[in-house]
Amino acid sequence: MTVTAERPAELTPRRPDRGPGSRADGWIRRAPLLPALVFTIIVTQLPFLFTIYYSLQSWNLVRPGSRQFVGVDNYILVFTDSQFRQVALNTVLLTAGAVLFSLLLGLLFALLLDRAFFGRGFIRTLLITPFLITPVAAALLWKTVLFDPTYGLINFVLSPFGAGDTDWISTFPLTSVMIALVWQWTPFMMLLILAGLQSQPHDVLEAARVDGANTWGVFREVTIPHLRRFIELGIVLGAIYLINTFDAIYMMTQGGPGTASANLPFYIYQRAFLGFDIGQSAAMGVVVVVATIIVATFALRLIFRSFSGGEET
Amino acid sequence: MAEVEFDQASRIYTAGAKPAVNRLDLEIEDGEFVVLVGPSGSGKSTALRMLAGLEEIDGGQIRIGGRNMVGVPSRDRDIAMVFQNYALYPNKTVGENMAFPLKMRGVPKEERASKVRAAAEILGLSEYLDRKPRALSGGQRQRVAMGRAIVREPQVFLMDEPLSNLDAKMRVSTRTEIAAMQRRLGVTTVYVTHDQVEAMTMGDRVALLKDGELQQFATPAELYDQPANAFVAGFIGSPAMNLFTLPVSEQGVRMGSSELALPRSLRSRISDAGLSTVQLGIRPEQWTVGADGNGSGVKAQVDVVEELGSDAFLYAHLDDGEQTPVVVRTSGRSGARRGDQIALTPTSEDLHLFDPSTGERV
Ligand SMILES: Nc1ncnc2c1ncn2[C@@H]1O[C@H](COP(=O)(O)OP(=O)(O)OP(=O)(O)O)[C@@H](O)[C@H]1O
Ligand SMILES: [Mg+2]
């Protein structure tokens, strides 16, 4: 936050020329931080500048000597590439779908875990487990153990009903990936919302009951407003992680069939390391970074609004 | 409006443990202001919450307007409650907070708004209706909580220490406001406090609890003049009543080296009860102070003088070998000083006598 209040000049303390508080002293005290700053710039900003530089070149690794400056041609190609648009849409669908469904399921489980029942600690541990599994392993689990057309458990369970011969992953590629992601992310949402539920003041809930609210009324009028900030946080954090999903797609579908289940990170990876088209993929990367910054700015604003809003005292 | 009855009502939190409220019997009349008072942990809040439907009734019955409340959820009891920490809805404005009980009962929007405006007018909250509770002072929040209770015109008001978060001055003024408002609305009210001054000043009748048991249920004056047992005698009144356990003698009781003569009526009550020792209760204002040396009275030495202007309290100890502490009220600026030797004589005939083994009034 910037303080813009005007101050009379004589109130601003004058900087001494030497000793504590002087300009030289300031540099001496900040100098030890300099290596960290330089390192951060090298690691985060330089690669991005290089990416921008590459994105202005036509450069395919399999055609040596083809490298030349082409200006914004790569960007024009990105925006006219129908596959890129399809993949961008996939990314939005995958992220939004996975966040939404894991949030709803998380809310459901959190509400169940918020009440006392026998074996609650054990059930809670079981429900958290998916979040602790390595994403690659989780994707493999869904692909081979559950979705596999010949020996997957889902078809095994469905076969008595005469419906056990679907090849789930190739028939519903994006949905399959989404299901695996929802399975992994539900515990996260559940924990977040459970923390919210358990931080509710008891007397407010009791006041609502005395004031005539039934269970649904208490939930809608008191619990949901209280949970809003927790839900917002879940959406933002979930979206930040899920927009970068790579492992699940790589393991389950390889983005296929075609680009039916590819998202932006996976598509860029394909273009750079399978298509060897450095210029094109660099341009896509820049577009994605810019889009992400725009979205993230709104997301961060949401987070800050949630936490600086100040709640019940 | 309705009468409220506790009929042998009990609450047992953990099976086998002592009940938090044990076989409580109270008959509260329509429109009456009843205060539940008692030391911490005596079961006041529990009793109130049983009436509110926030705690189970494990034994006996509670009736509101003659209707048994066992198993009836809070929302169907037609009560309104003011909580100690106000329990306002943090995400709703003051107006929405006050309108909430009406909204939950399906009162149409215009009617809600007009009722909230009227209540806000009475409570001086009109200009805060659009604010969130967090932007209010403690006293204003307290009034919002009151407003939320009165807009609904319930059968019974329940209040659990609603003044305990206010400063001393606010507490005194709000105390009178609440009492006046209750008289005006005529709604049966059950009010919990641990402050005996609040209990004595506000209640039509006061129920004193200890360890979940009802000690006495009476008007404030009766509670003060006719305490049913030594606990009530010690709890009500500030400073507390002086209680001495003394051997009975010919003319009265022995107090240290001297003998304290008791009137015939009291002596006959002791002999009727067949007691050889008795617990004698004397309120601070039931003493006269004489200078030491004129023979009569119990000798004592002043430790502390608490000068309050209109009157003064002397905290002294008796010369009985055990330094038994005693509190005496005298008129203000009596000139007593620390270290003074004084002689104390009970003024009044209606001293309090209790059986030392049971604590019951003799
Ligand atoms: N949820 C609970 N579980 C078990 N015991 C409880 C519970 N709530 C209260 N108790 C016990 O019941 C007894 C009465 O408690 P209660 O809250 O009614 O006291 P109180 O008179 O309101 O005291 P205070 O003046 O401190 O508020 C206490 O001994 C307390 O420990
Ligand atoms: Mg209490």
Side-chain angles (χ1 to χ4, degrees):
Chain A
M1 216 166 93
T2 37
V3 179
T4 50
E6 306 270 330
R7 274 180 185 215
E10 63 270 24
L11 281 186
T12 336
R14 234 174 64 79
R15 201 184 277 282
D17 291 332
R18 21 184 338 127
S22 70
R23 197 169 286 272
D25 182 61
W27 273 109
I28 290 169
R29 272 188 291 144
R30 284 179 207 126
L33 294 175
L34 216 53
L37 180 68
V38 171
F39 183 77
T40 310
I41 290 175
I42 290 176
V43 171
T44 66
Q45 303 307 304
L46 284 188
F48 185 59
L49 291 180
F50 273 112
T51 309
I52 293 180
Y53 171 69
Y54 291 149
S55 72
L56 302 175
Q57 316 255 323
S58 165
W59 182 16
N60 194 317
L61 289 182
V62 283
R63 278 180 277 127
S66 70
R67 187 173 172 180
Q68 66 188 46
F69 181 80
V70 292
V72 296
D73 278 7
N74 280 329
Y75 288 93
I76 294 170
L77 281 176
V78 167
F79 284 109
T80 48
D81 178 358
S82 67
Q83 278 195 337
F84 181 81
R85 285 200 301 266
Q86 153 87 41
V87 166
L89 182 69
N90 281 352
T91 312
V92 172
L93 285 179
L94 190 66
T95 309
V99 167
L100 195 75
F101 286 114
S102 56
L103 199 67
L104 286 178
L105 282 175
L107 178 64
L108 207 71
F109 285 126
L111 286 172
L112 288 178
L113 282 183
D114 192 37
R115 40 182 65 206
F117 56 88
F118 177 75
R120 177 164 75 158
F122 180 66
I123 301 285
R124 187 170 48 206
T125 312
L126 283 188
L127 282 173
I128 294 170
T129 318
F131 196 51
L132 305 177
I133 294 179
T134 316
V136 173
L140 207 59
L141 195 79
W142 276 92
K143 180 184 174 185
T144 54
V145 180
L146 289 154
F147 280 143
D148 192 276
T150 42
Y151 47 88
L153 284 179
I154 291 183
N155 279 350
F156 173 71
V157 168
L158 288 181
S159 57
F161 308 100
D165 49 6
T166 318
D167 185 353
W168 298 98
I169 291 188
S170 44
T171 322
F172 310 106
L174 196 62
T175 316
S176 303
V177 174
M178 199 188 293
I179 289 174
L181 290 177
V182 167
W183 180 78
Q184 272 228 297
W185 279 83
T186 297
F188 173 79
M189 303 294 184
M190 179 191 82
L191 285 180
L192 206 65
I193 293 175
L194 189 60
L197 282 175
Q198 295 189 339
S199 71
Q200 272 198 112
H202 278 280
D203 56 352
V204 174
L205 295 175
E206 289 177 344
R209 278 164 59 197
V210 172
D211 281 344
N214 53 20
T215 313
W216 168 243
V218 174
F219 181 70
R220 193 190 55 209
E221 298 278 345
V222 182
T223 305
I224 286 290
H226 173 79
L227 287 182
R228 213 194 77 197
R229 64 199 52 230
F230 293 89
I231 291 176
E232 282 174 1
L233 186 64
I235 291 177
V236 169
L237 292 181
I240 288 173
Y241 280 97
L242 285 169
I243 209 164
N244 286 321
T245 303
F246 181 84
D247 23 29
I249 294 172
Y250 185 83
M251 291 309 295
M252 288 176 74
T253 64
Q254 290 282 337
T259 52
S261 64
N263 67 352
L264 285 169
F266 189 82
Y267 187 59
I268 294 172
Y269 155 82
Q270 272 187 326
R271 296 301 290 261
F273 297 101
L274 303 177
F276 300 107
D277 195 336
I278 300 298
Q280 267 279 291
S281 47
M284 285 180 201
V286 171
V287 170
V288 171
V289 165
V290 170
T292 311
I293 286 175
I294 293 173
V295 173
T297 311
F298 287 108
L300 286 178
R301 198 168 289 169
L302 199 66
I303 293 191
F304 284 124
R305 206 186 57 214
S306 296
F307 284 101
S308 62
E311 221 201 352
E312 59 262 49
T313 44
Chain B
M1 271 140 270
E3 63 281 352
V4 172
E5 272 172 89
F6 284 75
D7 181 2
Q8 298 279 300
S10 301
R11 172 76 177 113
I12 303 161
Y13 279 115
T14 32
K18 203 179 167 314
V21 170
N22 195 6
R23 298 175 168 278
L24 180 62
D25 270 319
L26 293 177
E27 286 195 18
I28 301 170
E29 284 160 27
D30 186 9
E32 202 176 11
F33 194 122
V34 165
V35 178
L36 298 183
V37 71
S40 189
S42 57
K44 312 177 292 286
S45 299
T46 306
L48 192 76
R49 291 166 55 81
M50 285 161 76
L51 178 55
L54 300 171
E55 296 289 354
E56 300 283 326
I57 301 165
D58 293 322
Q61 289 193 352
I62 292 179
R63 289 185 286 273
I64 298 178
R67 197 159 75 95
N68 185 9
M69 287 294 142
V70 176
V72 177
S74 295
R75 63 170 183 279
D76 297 331
R77 296 193 180 195
D78 202 7
I79 49 170
M81 185 154 169
V82 179
F83 290 77
Q84 179 168 4
N85 295 314
Y86 314 139
L88 301 178
Y89 308 117
N91 297 295
K92 297 184 187 297
T93 64
V94 168
E96 287 166 352
N97 260 282
M98 286 167 58
F100 186 74
L102 299 174
K103 185 175 171 192
M104 286 298 109
R105 282 179 172 72
V107 174
K109 204 163 184 179
E110 299 76 50
E111 195 183 333
R112 274 189 336 234
S114 74
K115 283 193 170 170
V116 166
R117 264 198 306 278
E121 193 71 40
I122 299 173
L123 293 161
L125 290 169
S126 301
E127 51 187 307
Y128 306 118
L129 283 179
D130 294 326
R131 287 210 200 161
K132 292 279 173 70
R134 65 169 168 271
L136 297 180
S137 74
Q140 289 162 343
R141 285 180 207 183
Q142 202 278 334
R143 273 181 284 153
V144 177
M146 287 297 299
R148 187 172 66 182
I150 63 174
V151 281
R152 238 202 58 230
E153 298 156 21
Q155 302 257 17
V156 187
F157 282 141
L158 310 180
M159 305 188 195
D160 192 354
E161 312 209 16
L163 305 182
S164 57
N165 289 337
L166 301 181
D167 67 55
K169 211 168 163 187
M170 280 284 289
R171 213 175 303 162
V172 174
S173 60
T174 315
R175 188 165 88 196
T176 3
E177 278 170 30
I178 292 180
M181 185 175 304
Q182 192 272 341
R183 305 275 126 89
R184 192 153 41 80
L185 299 172
V187 175
T188 315
T189 301
V190 183
Y191 183 105
V192 165
T193 179
H194 62 263
D195 179 355
Q196 50 109 358
V197 180
E198 253 171 55
M200 299 294 277
T201 51
M202 297 176 84
D204 293 324
R205 281 196 291 168
V206 176
L208 207 158
L209 297 176
K210 181 194 169 214
D211 297 334
E213 313 260 358
L214 181 65
Q215 303 295 309
Q216 192 170 2
F217 182 36
T219 62
E222 220 175 308
L223 221 54
Y224 193 82
D225 297 335
Q226 309 265 311
N229 58 39
F231 177 80
V232 177
F235 190 85
I236 300 292
S238 167
M241 180 190 281
N242 299 291
L243 284 166
F244 311 98
T245 308
L246 303 166
V248 178
S249 67
E250 273 303 284
Q251 292 302 306
V253 290
R254 293 209 66 80
M255 212 170 196
S257 54
S258 53
E259 181 163 25
L260 189 67
L262 293 179
R264 181 179 301 280
S265 60
L266 293 183
R267 286 212 308 273
S268 68
R269 269 158 58 193
I270 296 175
S271 61
D272 286 353
L275 295 172
S276 58
T277 57
V278 73
Q279 205 169 12
L280 176 68
I282 308 178
R283 293 221 178 263
E285 68 272 19
Q286 288 178 320
W287 295 105
T288 38
V289 183
D292 187 26
N294 63 6
S296 75
V298 186
K299 311 270 181 298
Q301 189 179 353
V302 178
D303 296 321
V304 174
V305 180
E306 217 174 70
E307 182 69 59
L308 299 175
S310 59
D311 41 32
F313 291 107
L314 309 182
Y315 293 85
H317 64 264
L318 300 179
D319 290 335
D320 61 351
E322 289 170 33
Q323 312 252 315
T324 316
V326 58
V327 188
V328 181
R329 192 178 86 182
T330 65
S331 53
R333 283 168 282 273
S334 60
R337 290 227 201 87
R338 188 199 150 126
D340 281 0
Q341 291 290 335
I342 50 173
L344 300 171
T345 2
T347 33
S348 162
E349 302 240 317
D350 25 293
L351 302 180
H352 307 278
L353 294 170
F354 306 100
D355 185 329
S357 51
T358 61
E360 291 305 315
R361 185 178 187 82
V362 176

